[in-house]
Amino acid sequence: MQALSKYDLNGVLKYFQDKRGIPGYDHQQSQNAKRPYFYFEPPRPGKSSAAGGFFQHRVTIHGVLFCPKEGAENDQDEMQDVMAALDHWIAADHFRIQCADENYEPYGAWLEEVQLTYQKADVDIITFQVRGERFVAYPQEEVTLTRYVYNNITERSGTTWQRERK
């Protein structure tokens, strides 16, 4: 699950950087780092449900947009416009963001049903959440193993039988 979430995070980070040209980081920056920049916390995988060889992977990514200090060249309302523009682009892209691998190259999966929420937390800080989901196929070996464990089925003398309930 953690590897899946890392691809989701990389995809969102790349999407934000590509759309706005503002740098993004998945590790903390020093107090005197050049602003503005996005900081993304490690993703938090949500509930997953399995069916028919697939499972639904849900993730929430929390982040912060560190705006220029008060009185700097960019005004704070402009930074809220940055978030509003990202929300608009997500809608224009059909609420989908492509995942990215370790090198931030496009990965063959999409985070879907993406929702962006944000709020001004301080004069120079905007917090946000990106929520999304995707469906992932189980490898065939895991599907078989899961089916046997879940259905409590064992092999005996070449035939499959289900244990009787007591």
Side-chain angles (χ1 to χ4, degrees):
M1 288 294 233
Q2 202 62 14
L4 289 175
S5 297
K6 182 64 177 168
Y7 285 5
D8 299 332
L9 171 66
N10 290 348
V12 171
L13 195 151
K14 181 177 177 1
Y15 186 87
F16 277 40
Q17 286 184 150
D18 290 351
K19 292 295 185 185
R20 289 307 303 180
I22 297 174
Y25 304 97
D26 61 357
H27 53 280
Q28 293 184 354
Q29 299 297 300
S30 66
Q31 291 269 345
N32 57 359
K34 185 175 186 254
R35 293 178 175 212
Y37 69 88
F38 291 104
Y39 165 69
F40 296 86
E41 293 180 6
R44 299 176 187 174
K47 292 182 179 180
S48 297
S49 54
F54 289 90
F55 72 93
Q56 183 182 27
H57 166 71
R58 295 184 185 142
V59 67
T60 301
I61 300 170
H62 295 268
V64 179
L65 171 58
F66 288 94
C67 308
K69 296 282 188 192
E70 200 170 17
E73 66 272 1
N74 291 338
D75 98 20
Q76 306 309 313
D77 292 332
E78 184 180 331
M79 291 295 106
Q80 283 196 322
D81 292 344
V82 165
M83 297 307 293
L86 283 167
D87 197 25
H88 172 75
W89 280 318
I90 289 170
D93 290 335
H94 306 289
F95 303 98
R96 295 174 45 160
I97 295 177
Q98 187 167 16
C99 298
D101 64 14
E102 299 85 9
N103 300 318
Y104 299 97
E105 296 295 325
Y107 181 70
W110 291 82
L111 195 58
E112 300 192 21
E113 301 298 325
V114 175
Q115 298 175 350
L116 172 66
T117 57
Y118 58 93
Q119 66 182 20
K120 190 172 184 174
D122 203 351
V123 289
D124 60 350
I125 293 176
I126 296 174
T127 59
F128 61 89
Q129 290 181 342
V130 179
R131 291 190 171 132
E133 62 185 27
R134 64 182 163 124
F135 288 90
V136 180
Y138 280 123
Q140 185 57 41
E141 306 81 41
E142 289 185 35
V143 171
T144 304
L145 181 60
T146 303
R147 192 178 77 223
Y148 278 110
V149 171
Y150 179 75
N151 293 327
N152 199 14
I153 296 173
T154 59
E155 295 279 335
R156 178 179 269 188
S157 304
T159 61
T160 304
W161 62 280
Q162 190 167 356
R163 209 182 294 170
E164 293 180 26
R165 295 186 180 153
K166 294 182 180 184

